[in-house]
Amino acid sequence: MVTQSATRSRTPRGQGRAKLLEAAGDLFSEQGVSGTSLQSIADRLGVTKAAVYHQFASKDEIVLAVAEPVIERLRQIADAAVGYSEEEGRAIAIDGLVELALAERGTAAVMRRDPTMAQLLDSHPPYLEQIARIEAALLGPRPSSARRLALAFAGGGIMALGALPGLDGPHEEVHAGLVAAMTRALTI
Amino acid sequence: MVTQSATRSRTPRGQGRAKLLEAAGDLFSEQGVSGTSLQSIADRLGVTKAAVYHQFASKDEIVLAVAEPVIERLRQIADAAVGYSEEEGRAIAIDGLVELALAERGTAAVMRRDPTMAQLLDSHPPYLEQIARIEAALLGPRPSSARRLALAFAGGGIMALGALPGLDGPHEEVHAGLVAAMTRALTI
DNA sequence: GTCTATAGATAGATAGAC
DNA sequence: GTCTATCTATCTATAGAC
């Protein structure tokens, strides 16, 4: 029951935007980006399309905005892995990716597998940069082709989890299981 | 330069259909199912939409027809793994899945990750049946939750490979690398 | 087996009132 | 910040001629 800091607005600044992005992200992971219309986003929010266009100039802008928090977390993971030994850096990156995959389940999966999203991200330097940094941390210097293959496999595995229904078991257990699976996949 | 067995038709029976499915499959893996219109399929074939509708009654029918050869291969894999020890059966299933993922790269990836395709397959018993059989071969009886988690991870990894550009290296090497990665992921 | 033509719905996007 | 109304383009799908 905290009073909003300084404003009296019924819908606090940026909250409409946040709600919109949440709805859009959910729909993207359920139906894909191409399969999600601005109308369906508006419907889920109980507003009209025009209200959506008031906050974003285009659908692409929404797609990128949905991806942005994940990109920010990728940056934090890459930052955290810097300055450690190869082995420690890899463990930190794996742990961060697993945590990210579990926290932003749907969005992480969409980013990895949706063609529309992938095309947008392919020309989005901030994303490419963080991916490159994390891959470097996972692969180490002069990686063998077997090692790069293992990373492609593991990357697909970890980020594909959003497609799964339950992923039963307590968070700690799932987290540990995924870290173990990913570490095994990359230990070569 | 072999004479078509008994017919004189310029386009042998079913070849139009096969070409259509090839074009559709390529477009699905490039742009997703929702992102691919019947018009774009027709364009790639150099015909009109009406010609496409002559061969298939609906888009869903095309989607399922694209998936069908992969489902058939899944059946063969499941069949091949029957009647061996748990360990041997698992090795056979892994080898078959890797071969399938490499041979039907794009389609296998689409089937695993495209929301439209996934929804269709979710109510397509022939697919569900083969997936269940293969999962059983990979998991063995009474699998632990850690083991099921590892399978989800590995399944995503192997089928996500279609999204990758080159997958450099000779086929034998890539095949062996993927079998190794998958075996490591499932060895728990 | 391929075409033209078109129906009917929906897509992304914009203008302007409140 | 949300609305009504509308634009244009495209979508899936069908009818019927060649």
Side-chain angles (χ1 to χ4, degrees):
Chain A
M1 293 303 154
V2 183
T3 309
Q4 290 296 325
S5 49
T7 157
R8 273 167 308 276
S9 57
R10 277 279 222 86
T11 25
R13 187 183 311 196
Q15 185 160 325
R17 195 185 145 99
K19 282 212 170 307
L20 197 160
L21 290 179
E22 193 188 332
D26 289 350
L27 287 167
F28 289 164
S29 62
E30 289 164 22
Q31 312 175 329
V33 174
S34 279
T36 301
S37 66
L38 297 192
Q39 183 66 64
S40 68
I41 297 174
D43 286 349
R44 179 162 293 203
L45 295 168
V47 298
T48 62
K49 266 192 298 181
V52 171
Y53 272 106
H54 176 71
Q55 313 235 36
F56 295 93
S58 70
K59 189 178 178 181
D60 279 4
E61 227 178 68
I62 298 177
V63 175
L64 276 181
V66 163
E68 214 222 294
V70 173
I71 297 174
E72 182 50 36
R73 287 190 70 150
L74 289 173
R75 184 191 320 276
Q76 288 165 11
I77 293 169
D79 286 349
V82 167
Y84 288 88
S85 73
E86 196 186 321
E87 214 173 326
E88 286 168 319
R90 184 177 312 145
I92 290 170
I94 289 176
D95 194 82
L97 286 177
V98 168
E99 201 51 37
L100 170 58
L102 290 177
E104 306 268 8
R105 191 102 62 98
T107 302
V110 167
M111 288 174 68
R112 179 111 196 162
R113 69 184 201 199
D114 187 282
T116 306
M117 178 72 89
Q119 261 173 294
L120 266 179
L121 293 178
D122 258 356
S123 46
H124 190 61
Y127 172 74
L128 299 176
E129 187 189 338
Q130 305 317 321
I131 291 294
R133 293 175 69 203
I134 291 174
E135 289 198 344
L138 290 173
L139 285 175
R142 280 191 296 284
S144 67
S145 64
R147 203 174 174 73
R148 274 183 280 121
L149 191 61
L151 177 59
F153 175 85
I158 190 69
M159 288 310 175
L161 294 173
L164 293 178
L167 227 63
D168 45 359
H171 177 91
E172 280 304 319
E173 205 174 291
V174 173
H175 181 99
L178 287 175
V179 167
M182 197 145 177
T183 304
R184 279 199 307 277
L186 289 174
T187 299
I188 185 179
Chain B
M1 290 305 154
V2 183
T3 310
Q4 290 295 325
S5 49
T7 158
R8 274 168 308 277
S9 58
R10 277 278 223 89
T11 25
R13 189 183 311 192
Q15 187 160 322
R17 196 185 145 98
K19 280 212 172 306
L20 197 160
L21 290 179
E22 193 189 331
D26 288 350
L27 287 167
F28 289 164
S29 63
E30 289 165 22
Q31 312 173 330
V33 174
S34 279
T36 301
S37 66
L38 297 191
Q39 182 66 64
S40 69
I41 297 174
D43 286 349
R44 180 163 293 203
L45 295 168
V47 298
T48 62
K49 267 188 301 180
V52 171
Y53 274 107
H54 176 71
Q55 314 235 36
F56 295 93
S58 69
K59 189 178 178 181
D60 279 4
E61 226 178 67
I62 298 178
V63 176
L64 275 182
V66 163
E68 213 221 291
V70 173
I71 297 174
E72 183 49 37
R73 286 191 72 152
L74 289 174
R75 184 191 322 276
Q76 289 165 10
I77 293 169
D79 286 348
V82 166
Y84 288 87
S85 73
E86 196 187 321
E87 213 173 327
E88 286 169 318
R90 186 178 309 146
I92 290 170
I94 288 176
D95 195 81
L97 285 176
V98 168
E99 202 51 37
L100 170 58
L102 290 176
E104 307 268 9
R105 190 102 61 96
T107 302
V110 167
M111 287 173 68
R112 179 110 196 165
R113 68 183 202 200
D114 187 283
T116 306
M117 178 72 89
Q119 261 173 294
L120 266 178
L121 293 178
D122 258 356
S123 46
H124 190 60
Y127 172 75
L128 298 176
E129 186 189 337
Q130 304 318 321
I131 291 293
R133 293 175 69 204
I134 291 175
E135 289 198 345
L138 290 173
L139 284 174
R142 279 193 296 284
S144 66
S145 63
R147 204 174 175 72
R148 275 182 279 121
L149 191 61
L151 176 60
F153 175 84
I158 191 67
M159 288 310 176
L161 293 172
L164 291 178
L167 227 64
D168 46 359
H171 177 91
E172 281 303 322
E173 205 173 292
V174 173
H175 181 99
L178 287 175
V179 168
M182 197 144 175
T183 305
R184 280 198 308 276
L186 289 175
T187 300
I188 186 179

